[in-house]
Structures are given as C-alpha cells and as structure tokens.
Amino acid sequence: MKKIITAALLAAVAMPAVALPTTASAQSNRELRRDRQDIREEQRELRDARRRGDRSDIRDERRDVREARQEYREDLRDRNRRWGDNDWRDYRGRNRGVYARGNWRAPFGYTRFRSGVRIAPNYWGSRYVISDPWRYRLPSAGRYQRWVRHYDDVLLIDTRRGIVIRTIPGFYW
C-alpha cells in the first residue's frame, strides 16, 4: 500500500513539471502570433493614415509599427532563450568530441537553408535524422518535427510540409 501511495505522490509531483514546457511554448507561440497580428494591424492603420495625408498621423503610425516590430523581436528572442540555445553551446564547448563531424557525406551539395523555406524530402530523409537530439542538448522536437543534419548544420523540419522551422549553422565541428 505504501508503494502505491508513494508512486501516486511522485506522479502527481512530476506531472506539472512535464507539462510546463509545452504550456510555455504554446504560450510563447500565442504571443508571437498576437504580435504578428498587431504588426499587420499597425501597418493597415499606417496605410489608412497615408491615404488621409495627415503628416502627424503618419508619423505616429510609423512609430506604432516600429514598436510592434520591436515587441515581436523581443518575444522571439525570449522564446529562443527558452529553447536552450546556451545549454547546447556551453555543452559543446566542454565536450568537443561529441560534436566531431566524423565521416559524413551527402549525395547533394551544401545549401545554407533559412527558416521558413520548403525543402525536398531527400534532405530530411531517415538517413539524416538525428535520432538522439538529447545527446547534443538540443530541445526535443515537437509533433511532426524532426532534427536533421545537413553537413555541419542542424535543421528542425516540419515533416508534414517540409518546411525548415529552425536552423543552427555550424553546429558540428
């Protein structure tokens, strides 16, 4: 009986800790979506002010657009910090052997990808998947996402659409 109660208590304590990253990432995604909507709204208001031709309104709307973009960039920067960029960078600095390139070749040439680009499935096929991202201190990939290696770079791919979500250039030595 004691074992069951102990296991239930441990499960109750561990569950909120497991649920936090998902909630935090969902919240940050909502914030980013809201910030993008704010930018679009401010741009619409700037277009309207330009049609009316009032210089002070145009100046105010430009400032509002600038502030909305700045807020978006700050939220994006905060989300990237939560993703643990420093965690893998510090670990890589201390454990260079884990990130050694080794003998790795691809049947295609190197292309530097950026976020938002759609790439062909042969770039993120099973041959290039990083099956153990925790070994490199990468954040876990979400649903329908995969970390893949592309020469010395690492890409986070949305496997449903083939879109690059995130790139980490020069990840391997």
Side-chain angles (χ1 to χ4, degrees):
M1 184 68 172
K2 285 182 183 178
K3 289 181 182 179
I4 295 172
I5 293 173
T6 306
L9 285 173
L10 285 174
V13 171
M15 288 307 282
V18 172
L20 281 176
T22 308
T23 308
S25 66
Q27 182 180 0
S28 67
N29 288 340
R30 267 186 254 118
E31 287 175 4
L32 290 173
R33 201 173 311 120
R34 185 175 24 96
D35 287 344
R36 285 192 299 261
Q37 288 172 347
D38 289 345
I39 290 171
R40 284 193 296 270
E41 182 180 325
E42 295 296 341
Q43 288 172 335
R44 262 185 253 118
E45 291 176 5
L46 176 60
R47 280 194 303 270
D48 292 343
R50 284 183 177 152
R51 283 187 200 128
R52 289 190 305 267
D54 188 6
R55 286 182 171 224
S56 64
D57 284 347
I58 293 172
R59 189 173 30 252
D60 292 342
E61 293 303 330
R62 280 184 182 156
R63 182 180 27 103
D64 291 344
V65 169
R66 218 177 9 256
E67 289 172 358
R69 285 181 178 153
Q70 180 64 32
E71 186 176 334
Y72 174 73
R73 282 192 295 267
E74 288 170 0
D75 285 348
L76 191 60
R77 207 172 300 125
D78 289 344
R79 186 185 81 169
N80 288 340
R81 274 193 212 113
R82 277 193 299 260
W83 261 36
D85 280 348
N86 292 331
D87 184 34
W88 71 263
R89 288 181 197 277
D90 294 341
Y91 181 77
R92 183 176 73 164
R94 291 188 310 270
N95 301 294
R96 295 178 69 90
V98 174
Y99 295 85
R101 181 173 180 188
N103 188 11
W104 188 87
R105 296 182 190 271
F108 40 78
Y110 175 77
T111 305
R112 182 155 189 169
F113 295 112
R114 64 182 201 285
S115 298
V117 173
R118 183 183 305 268
I119 62 175
N122 59 341
Y123 285 99
W124 48 272
S126 61
R127 181 176 178 187
Y128 311 111
V129 172
I130 298 173
S131 59
D132 51 355
W134 59 88
R135 177 179 180 214
Y136 302 106
R137 301 300 192 266
L138 288 169
S140 60
R143 187 174 184 190
Y144 302 114
Q145 295 177 354
R146 219 184 263 178
W147 286 104
V148 295
R149 181 173 184 172
H150 180 66
Y151 288 86
D152 288 345
D153 302 345
V154 173
L155 310 172
L156 181 62
I157 307 292
D158 178 353
T159 57
R160 289 177 298 170
R161 299 177 293 158
I163 292 179
V164 177
I165 298 171
R166 181 157 189 226
T167 63
I168 303 176
F171 186 77
Y172 292 97
W173 299 111

